[in-house]
Amino acid sequence: MTATWRIDAHQHFWSLARGDYGWLTPDLAPLYRDFGPTDLQPLLAANNVRGTVLVQAAPTLAETQWLLRLAAQHDLVRGVVGWVDLVAPDAVDTLASLAANPLLKSVRPMLQDLPDPAWIATAPIAPAVRALVQHGLRFDALVKPPHLPHLLAFAERHPALPIVIDHAAKPDIAHGGFAAWRRDLAALARLPAVHCKLSGLATEAGPGWSVATLRPYAETVLELFGPQRVIWGSDWPVLQLAGDYAGWVLACEQLLAPLDAADRHAVWAGNAERFYRLDGVTPL
């Protein structure tokens, strides 16, 4: 199969010495070291990936500023998804300051780690959301299936905010979780400003996954959102818990094979460029 060029719309860098990755502990042995641009560059070159979106991994403004500095130094990074405390009294001012940097494309509260799964629907963040829209920023939703009804309430309340669901909301593939995930994802897919990332599925399936295991989930994402609202990403280096970069690319080539060339390009690259405004294209 002829490979297309790609944008990796979901990857991470981290430096353990920074000390603000609460989730990153020694028991995650494949991940418990520094990962930076020199680690990723050979993988991108080998898989015809022409740029990336660098996503936050710590709930701190300091990490977001570090990622923006890294992005400015490395052409492979075409945009950054950062973190902002959306309920802070100065959230609007913070967003205005960060948005002055054209490399900031989106923000991502780490919803999956919050104790209240309804936080996104109940927190007093309307002023911050208005600022996101005003500055042309997007919203990355790091959620699991129990969060989806609450994300739906949030998305319905803010129809002007472009939202992307990271990792297809992390369905419980390893234990066959499907029906409730599909139902709740379908409700979100009916909202035109909501997109979905084809990423993270291998991790949710666990080591030893196969394309056949992933196929019902990938097909559901493509069916519900259509190939114009599905965005490909690797979730590297988290991907290394269950596979490797080349294996994920190969699996996605097989999963996307039924699409025509234009739709495959949209998923591999075009949708990421449009959604994250990587080339200054017209906002959604």
Side-chain angles (χ1 to χ4, degrees), residues 120-144:
I120 189 58
T122 60
I125 59 174
V129 173
R130 288 194 293 270
L132 290 173
V133 174
Q134 175 187 348
H135 295 296
L137 296 174
R138 279 67 177 115
F139 184 92
D140 272 61
L142 177 61
V143 294
K144 295 183 176 182

Side-chain angles (χ1 to χ4, degrees), residues 15-278:
S15 172
L16 296 182
R18 299 194 60 265
D20 52 2
Y21 312 100
W23 62 275
L24 185 54
T25 55
D27 59 317
L28 293 171
L31 306 183
Y32 197 68
R33 67 171 181 85
D34 293 353
F35 287 92
T38 56
D39 300 295
L40 181 59
Q41 183 62 62
L43 304 178
L44 303 184
N47 292 282
N48 204 12
V49 178
R50 297 187 182 178
T52 76
V53 176
L54 174 59
V55 180
Q56 62 82 223
T60 65
L61 187 59
E63 194 227 14
T64 295
Q65 293 166 334
W66 177 71
L67 296 177
L68 288 168
R69 290 194 296 272
L70 272 180
Q73 297 163 8
H74 298 277
D75 290 342
L76 66 90
V77 179
R78 294 176 59 185
V80 169
V81 176
W83 179 92
V84 172
D85 182 355
L86 298 177
V87 299
D90 62 349
V92 170
D93 291 339
T94 299
L95 287 166
S97 176
L98 288 173
N101 186 331
L103 285 168
L104 186 77
K105 305 299 183 180
S106 181
V107 301
R108 185 173 86 146
M110 300 180 79
L111 300 178
Q112 70 172 18
D113 296 332
L114 299 180
D116 180 7
W119 182 91
I120 189 58
T122 60
I125 59 174
V129 173
R130 288 194 293 270
L132 290 173
V133 174
Q134 175 187 348
H135 295 296
L137 296 174
R138 279 67 177 115
F139 184 92
D140 272 61
L142 177 61
V143 294
K144 295 183 176 182
H147 298 91
L148 291 176
H150 308 296
L151 182 62
L152 176 64
F154 170 76
E156 289 177 333
R157 192 177 305 134
H158 302 288
L161 178 66
I163 296 170
V164 63
I165 301 170
D166 290 348
H167 315 320
K170 295 192 170 185
D172 188 4
I173 302 174
H175 299 98
F178 187 83
W181 165 78
R182 188 193 192 286
R183 178 197 65 221
D184 293 337
L185 199 66
L188 278 152
R190 287 192 280 271
L191 304 179
V194 179
H195 296 58
C196 190
K197 285 187 183 176
L198 183 63
S199 60
L201 297 183
T203 306
E204 300 310 311
W209 58 270
S210 67
V211 172
T213 303
L214 304 185
R215 191 178 303 280
Y217 298 88
E219 287 181 345
T220 294
V221 168
L222 288 164
E223 173 198 345
L224 295 178
F225 289 89
Q228 300 306 311
R229 287 190 290 144
V230 176
I231 298 172
W232 179 78
S234 70
D235 197 27
W236 180 93
V238 178
L239 170 67
Q240 296 186 178
L241 291 173
D244 58 42
Y245 205 101
W248 174 241
V249 169
L250 179 60
C252 289
E253 285 184 341
Q254 296 176 56
L255 293 168
L256 298 175
L259 303 181
D260 65 27
D263 285 346
R264 285 197 302 273
H265 175 74
V267 175
W268 283 121
N271 296 340
E273 290 191 310
R274 175 178 53 85
F275 180 83
Y276 285 118
R277 303 170 67 189
L278 299 183

